[in-house]
Amino acid sequence: MLDESRHFFGKEQVFTILDLMGRYKLNRFHWHLSDDQGWRIEIKAYPNLTKIGGIGCNTDSKAPAKFYTQDEIREILAYAAERHIMVIPEIDMPGHASAFVKVFPEFDGKHRTVNPASEKLYEVLGNIYKELADLFPGQYIHIGGDEVYKGGWNDLPNMKEFMEKEGLKSMNEVEEYFGRRLSDT
């Protein structure tokens, strides 16, 4: 697993890691490409994800935007395939979403999360995950879903109505709904 949302390493370092993985016959490369600190993959439908969301890193919130273009992703995927390595991208949601919320403040779920009660959010994420699925030939895209602080969700204006409509009784059920809905995208 390589977390490039917090610390961007760049293509040459990824090639080195893939070479080492190939040497030791490791065949799954989990590539963490979004988190609070930065969005690291070009999404053509939403260029501000990298232009704005790509700004910062773990040690400097104002570091210049760094990310991979889709052409660079394809080059890395081809390099991995030559070494029989499946690349599994991770776009972390519904928590660890500060870089995403910088670009889409209307989806702010408070405390570094997105608002799972926003229908428009699922449309945007569907567009993003479609581009990811078109780029990555493997059968997996990791949606993260860990360490989600749901405490702010109670205060979202549309949450109560959303929970009633979907028959959800707790914030844990809301998070489960989000995961299922995104997985079905």
Side-chain angles (χ1 to χ4, degrees):
M1 195 280 236
L2 179 64
D3 181 349
E4 287 207 86
S5 55
R6 290 179 177 90
H7 303 284
F8 187 85
F9 294 97
K11 188 171 61 171
E12 295 307 317
Q13 185 66 37
V14 173
F15 288 157
T16 299
I17 291 168
L18 292 171
D19 284 339
L20 289 168
M21 288 179 68
R23 181 181 308 155
Y24 291 105
K25 305 211 183 300
L26 300 171
N27 62 4
R28 299 290 185 268
F29 177 55
H30 182 158
W31 202 6
H32 193 94
L33 294 167
S34 83
D35 210 298
D36 290 318
Q37 293 81 3
W39 188 278
R40 306 297 180 209
I41 181 169
E42 176 187 35
I43 301 296
K44 292 190 185 276
Y46 307 106
N48 282 342
L49 280 170
T50 49
K51 185 177 179 181
I52 296 168
I55 295 170
C57 67
N58 201 45
T59 56
D60 180 1
S61 64
K62 294 180 180 168
K66 292 184 180 179
F67 61 93
Y68 293 98
T69 66
Q70 288 191 8
D71 286 341
E72 289 172 318
I73 295 286
R74 285 184 194 93
E75 185 181 351
I76 290 167
L77 292 171
Y79 196 86
E82 289 170 2
R83 287 149 185 78
H84 308 287
I85 298 169
M86 177 195 295
V87 179
I88 303 166
E90 179 179 349
I91 302 297
D92 212 345
M93 295 279 166
H96 297 255
S98 296
F100 179 83
V101 169
K102 268 197 290 191
V103 178
F104 294 105
E106 65 270 30
F107 301 136
D108 189 358
K110 302 185 179 178
H111 303 286
R112 302 170 29 222
T113 68
V114 294
N115 177 355
S118 170
E119 190 60 34
K120 181 78 173 154
L121 170 68
Y122 296 102
E123 180 183 324
V124 170
L125 291 177
N127 293 334
I128 290 169
Y129 279 82
K130 181 178 181 335
E131 281 195 43
L132 291 171
D134 289 346
L135 265 176
F136 289 88
Q139 59 189 13
Y140 303 108
I141 296 174
H142 188 227
I143 63 171
D146 64 324
E147 305 170 337
V148 179
Y149 179 73
K150 300 173 278 287
W153 289 357
N154 287 314
D155 301 328
L156 297 173
N158 56 345
M159 185 57 73
K160 185 176 179 180
E161 178 184 334
F162 168 75
M163 290 177 72
E164 288 172 4
K165 176 184 169 217
E166 299 297 335
L168 306 172
K169 298 185 180 9
S170 70
M171 290 305 147
N172 286 337
E173 288 183 14
V174 170
E175 183 179 9
E176 290 168 10
Y177 171 92
F178 176 87
R180 281 191 311 273
R181 179 92 184 260
L182 197 52
S183 294
D184 290 343
T185 299

